[in-house]
Amino acid sequence: MFFVVNKEKISAYLVSVLTVIVLFITANIITTNKVNTIATSSNPNRLLPIYNVKTNDKKVALTMNCAWNADDIDSILNTLKANNVNITFFMVGDWIDKYPEFAKKIYEAGNEIGSHSNTHPHVNNISKEKNAEELKLCNEKIEKITGKKTNLYRAPYGEYNNNVLQVAEDEGYKTIQWNLDTLDYSGLTGEEMWNRIGDKLENGSIILSHNGTKHTADSLDMLIKNIKQKGFEIVKISDLIYDNNYKIDVNGTQIKK
């Protein structure tokens, strides 16, 4: 018995089969991606730090990380005093070791000191125990300067994961991020910094800056005056955030319950 082979039919059949296979694979890829995206964007177990605060008060917090030199600290403190402003300084423990007299000056001028870790490591890459040690050692140095412990923490490089945040919470800290970055560490001028943040200021904003940069000290007076001109009061972190009965939404906004 002989079969007549119809090449056109076979070709059409093969094309159909291949099409089905390709569509199947594509559908599975899309489905997998959708599942992963949903799991990532709405993961109820994901912890977040405080990026900003929902408030009706026209208040913003100016924060300054101290991890490099201390050459501009006197200038910064003079500017803050002249403008009748106190802010929150997040200090690395190693920085306090090098410049204890400046850490003391900052605190005695009425400013607030928070922890920025002890050695400024990449905290996502170290163990829970090491994270706890970084917090403990830095807090001991802050307590020696101020006579009291701090409950404010800013992770180095702005890095965090659930382990980092859970350790901080277990140790009694509120982890503070920011929603406005001056990018002063990149060498921007004061005008460039203001252009970055001026139109984005809103109630409850937290602003990131650093000492030891090229233009932070010589731009600080202008930045403060511009912020005030927009009607905002500049406060310390502890005068902006809620101590209890709050939640943090998916954007990192602290909201009073």
Side-chain angles (χ1 to χ4, degrees):
M1 188 173 183
F2 295 94
F3 292 94
V4 178
V5 178
N6 189 319
K7 291 183 179 180
E8 291 182 358
K9 287 185 177 181
I10 291 176
S11 297
Y13 176 76
L14 290 175
V15 169
S16 298
V17 170
L18 288 173
T19 300
V20 170
I21 292 172
V22 170
L23 289 173
F24 179 80
I25 293 172
T26 302
N28 273 281
I29 291 172
I30 292 172
T31 302
T32 301
N33 287 339
K34 283 183 179 177
V35 170
N36 288 337
T37 301
I38 292 169
T40 301
S41 62
S42 61
N43 183 355
N45 298 316
R46 184 188 178 202
L47 302 178
L48 285 171
I50 298 170
Y51 280 79
N52 63 327
V53 177
K54 185 176 181 180
T55 175
N56 293 323
D57 298 330
K58 287 188 71 67
K59 293 181 178 180
V60 299
L62 178 59
T63 66
M64 190 168 292
N65 292 357
C66 298
W68 300 319
N69 61 60
D71 298 345
D72 56 1
I73 292 297
D74 282 334
S75 174
I76 288 168
L77 290 178
N78 288 337
T79 298
L80 292 174
K81 182 179 179 181
N83 286 279
N84 194 28
V85 166
N86 291 118
I87 67 173
T88 303
F89 290 79
F90 286 95
M91 297 182 185
V92 175
D94 283 352
W95 189 90
I96 297 174
D97 289 338
K98 292 177 184 177
Y99 310 109
E101 69 279 11
F102 286 107
K104 188 175 182 180
K105 275 186 180 183
I106 288 169
Y107 177 70
E108 290 181 344
N111 299 291
E112 183 171 59
I113 298 179
S115 171
H116 196 33
S117 80
N118 189 51
T119 62
H120 208 273
H122 287 282
V123 289
N124 286 0
N125 299 332
I126 61 178
S127 66
K128 285 185 175 181
E129 292 74 19
K130 187 64 178 176
N131 268 288
E133 182 182 80
E134 285 283 327
L135 287 166
K136 177 177 178 292
L137 293 176
C138 184
N139 210 335
E140 287 176 352
K141 295 170 185 179
I142 292 172
E143 188 175 8
K144 187 175 180 181
I145 295 292
T146 66
K148 59 183 180 182
K149 295 180 179 180
T150 182
N151 69 340
L152 301 175
Y153 173 56
R154 173 168 286 162
Y157 308 104
E159 296 176 349
Y160 62 86
N161 56 26
N162 273 18
N163 284 341
V164 172
L165 296 179
Q166 190 63 62
V167 168
E169 183 177 337
D170 291 345
E171 297 296 325
Y173 293 86
K174 290 181 173 64
T175 303
I176 309 298
Q177 202 79 342
W178 60 88
N179 67 313
L180 295 178
D181 188 350
T182 62
L183 286 184
D184 54 359
Y185 55 87
S186 66
L188 294 187
T189 65
E191 183 178 351
E192 289 169 330
M193 293 181 216
W194 180 247
N195 287 339
R196 279 188 54 79
I197 70 172
D199 292 337
K200 299 173 185 176
L201 279 171
E202 58 185 8
N203 295 359
S205 288
I206 297 176
I207 305 166
L208 172 67
S209 66
H210 304 73
N211 88 294
T213 69
K214 187 176 181 179
H215 290 299
T216 299
D218 61 41
S219 303
L220 188 59
D221 184 69
M222 178 271 288
L223 293 174
I224 289 173
K225 283 181 167 58
N226 283 358
I227 292 170
K228 285 185 172 184
Q229 191 172 8
K230 279 185 167 283
F232 293 100
E233 179 186 0
I234 299 172
V235 300
K236 297 176 285 188
I237 286 291
S238 61
D239 294 325
L240 181 68
I241 63 174
Y242 305 117
D243 287 330
N244 48 53
N245 297 323
Y246 66 85
K247 65 178 181 179
I248 299 175
D249 72 10
V250 294
N251 297 311
T253 301
Q254 189 192 38
I255 302 171
K256 188 73 172 176
K257 289 183 178 179

